[in-house]
Amino acid sequence: MSGVGSRVRRAVLRIGAAVGALATFTMVFGTVRALSGGAQRSPEQVIGMVTVGVLVVIAFCVLLWAAVRTSGRRLSPRQQWALSRFASDNALVYAPEPVVGGLTPWQRRGRLVVDRAMRSTTPAGRTIEWADYELRRATSASTHTQFGGWIAIGLRRRLPHIVVRATERGARMLSTAAVPDDSQRMSLEGDFDRHFTLYCPSGYERDALYLFTPDVMATAIDDGGGWDIEIVDDVLLLVRPRDVITTDPEEWVRLVRTANAFAGQVEQWERWRDDRVMVVSTAVTGLDPRDTAVARRGRRLRTRWSPATWVWIAFAVLMVATIVAGRYL
C-alpha cells in the first residue's frame, strides 16, 4: 500500500464519520420526536425504531473510532524529520511509508499493513524492529487488536508457538480478536500468573518451562508490563494496542530498554531443540532437523472466538430478529 492509498482511506473514513454523525443526529432526533408525539404506535413499531437507532449509533461509533485511529497516525513533516534524525543519530533504519505484509508469521491472520517502522541490528547480528501495524480483515487466527505496535526480535531458530497475555489489559472485554483455547493455558510459579497468562501447545509444557525461566519471567514483569509476548516461528514479538513509533525521547528510552532486556534473554532459547521432529537421515546435509525445526503440533496454538465476539453476534441476531418481528407481527 502506498502513502496515497493511506491518505485516500483516511479521507473516506472521515467522510463516513461525518455522514454517520449527521445520520445519527437525524435518526435520534427523529426517533425521539416520533415517540414523544401524540400518534399512537404499537410496541412493535417502537421497538423497531429504537433498534434501528441503536444500529445507526453503533455504526457511527465504529466509523468515528477508525477515523480517529488512522488520523492519529498521520505525522507532520516536522515529526517525520525528527524521526529520520533520531534514526540517523542512533544507527537505525527508518521506514516511514506503509508496507503491506512484512511479518511472515502473521500473513494468515489478515491483511497486515506496517504503517511505519524503525529497525536496528545488534553487534551480534540480531535484528530488532519497532513498528506500528494495522491488521485488516483479521481471521480467527489473530489474537491481537486491529491497531497496535510491536517490538520484533529476530531469533536464529524456530520455536514453539507461545503466547503470554498481559492481565492488566482490561480493554480485552470489548475486543473481537481471537483468544487461545483455554486447554492450552499453563500456570507458572511465583507472581508471574498475576501479571500474565501463558498459553503453549499441548505437550510443550516442559519446553515452556525451559524457555520461561525465572530470569525471563522477571524480565517480563519488570520490562514487559502491558505488552503481550508472542513467540512464533523465528520471531519474538512484544505487542500492545498503542502505537510504538513516537517522537517522545523518554518513551524511546523505555522502548529500547524493553527490547534490549528481551534480546539479552534469547540466547538460551536458541539452544532449545525439539525431539518430536522426525529424523530421517542427516548423512546428506549433516544437520539435525531437531536443532532448527518444530514438530507440527507445536507450530501454532489453537484459537477460538473471544467472548466479545459472541456478545456482538448475539446482539446482531437480536437486532435483526427485533426488526423482523416489528415488520411482520
Side-chain angles (χ1 to χ4, degrees), residues 188-221:
L188 295 179
E189 61 185 22
D191 294 334
F192 191 80
D193 287 348
R194 292 200 300 111
H195 298 274
F196 297 96
T197 303
L198 186 146
Y199 299 87
C200 70
S202 300
Y204 279 79
E205 290 79 7
R206 293 183 61 184
D207 304 272
L209 291 175
Y210 174 83
L211 298 174
F212 282 84
T213 56
D215 56 332
V216 174
M217 290 189 286
T219 298
I221 295 173

Side-chain angles (χ1 to χ4, degrees), residues 27-50:
M27 176 63 67
V28 172
F29 179 76
T31 301
V32 172
R33 185 176 180 181
L35 294 177
S36 61
Q40 188 69 26
R41 300 183 184 276
S42 65
E44 291 80 9
Q45 290 177 316
V46 173
I47 293 174
M49 294 174 64
V50 173

Side-chain angles (χ1 to χ4, degrees), residues 44-327:
E44 291 80 9
Q45 290 177 316
V46 173
I47 293 174
M49 294 174 64
V50 173
T51 300
V52 173
V54 171
L55 291 176
V56 171
V57 171
I58 291 175
F60 164 67
C61 291
V62 172
L63 282 172
L64 180 63
W65 171 80
V68 171
R69 197 65 175 83
T70 54
S71 297
R73 287 187 164 181
R74 184 180 182 181
L75 301 180
S76 67
R78 183 180 180 85
Q79 290 173 312
Q80 293 283 21
W81 177 86
L83 287 171
S84 298
R85 180 66 181 271
F86 172 80
S88 177
D89 292 344
N90 292 275
L92 302 173
V93 177
Y94 177 48
E97 292 294 326
V99 176
V100 177
L103 186 65
T104 303
W106 277 25
Q107 292 304 307
R108 295 185 179 181
R109 300 187 183 186
R111 182 178 173 83
L112 176 65
V113 179
V114 179
D115 278 288
R116 59 184 61 90
M118 198 80 72
R119 301 183 181 93
S120 172
T121 302
T122 67
R126 191 180 306 282
T127 59
I128 301 177
E129 177 183 83
W130 298 263
D132 298 333
Y133 75 87
E134 180 182 355
L135 198 57
R136 303 175 188 171
R137 299 192 293 274
T139 68
S140 59
S142 174
T143 57
H144 298 290
T145 55
Q146 179 183 355
F147 294 94
W150 70 49
I151 301 175
I153 302 173
L155 304 174
R156 297 188 177 94
R157 64 146 299 140
R158 292 174 178 267
L159 292 173
H161 190 197
I162 294 177
V163 170
V164 182
R165 291 161 63 89
T167 57
E168 67 180 50
R169 294 259 300 276
R172 292 189 197 278
M173 61 185 301
L174 301 176
S175 175
T176 57
V179 295
D181 191 273
D182 283 339
S183 64
Q184 302 161 115
R185 182 172 178 173
M186 179 179 173
S187 178
L188 295 179
E189 61 185 22
D191 294 334
F192 191 80
D193 287 348
R194 292 200 300 111
H195 298 274
F196 297 96
T197 303
L198 186 146
Y199 299 87
C200 70
S202 300
Y204 279 79
E205 290 79 7
R206 293 183 61 184
D207 304 272
L209 291 175
Y210 174 83
L211 298 174
F212 282 84
T213 56
D215 56 332
V216 174
M217 290 189 286
T219 298
I221 295 173
D222 295 338
D223 298 291
W227 297 84
D228 285 346
I229 305 169
E230 180 177 14
I231 304 172
V232 54
D233 293 344
D234 56 355
V235 181
L236 167 64
L237 284 164
L238 290 90
V239 186
R240 70 181 187 186
R242 292 188 293 119
D243 290 347
V244 167
I245 304 300
T246 177
T247 56
D248 181 0
E250 293 183 1
E251 179 66 10
W252 269 113
V253 170
R254 290 188 288 267
L255 291 170
V256 172
R257 183 178 65 238
T258 299
N260 290 338
F262 280 90
Q265 298 288 349
V266 299
E267 293 289 343
Q268 175 180 327
W269 292 4
E270 293 166 340
R271 294 193 291 270
W272 174 85
R273 63 183 297 178
D274 193 349
D275 293 327
R276 305 166 189 81
V277 176
M278 182 178 297
V279 180
V280 179
S281 175
T282 61
V284 178
T285 63
L287 300 175
D288 191 331
R290 293 172 296 185
D291 294 332
T292 56
V294 179
R296 180 178 296 276
R297 65 175 177 171
R299 295 173 190 171
R300 291 295 183 271
L301 288 167
R302 299 187 308 277
T303 59
R304 59 180 176 81
W305 285 355
S306 67
T309 301
W310 288 108
V311 171
W312 284 112
I313 290 175
F315 179 77
V317 171
L318 179 61
M319 292 294 100
V320 172
T322 302
I323 294 174
V324 172
R327 175 66 178 81

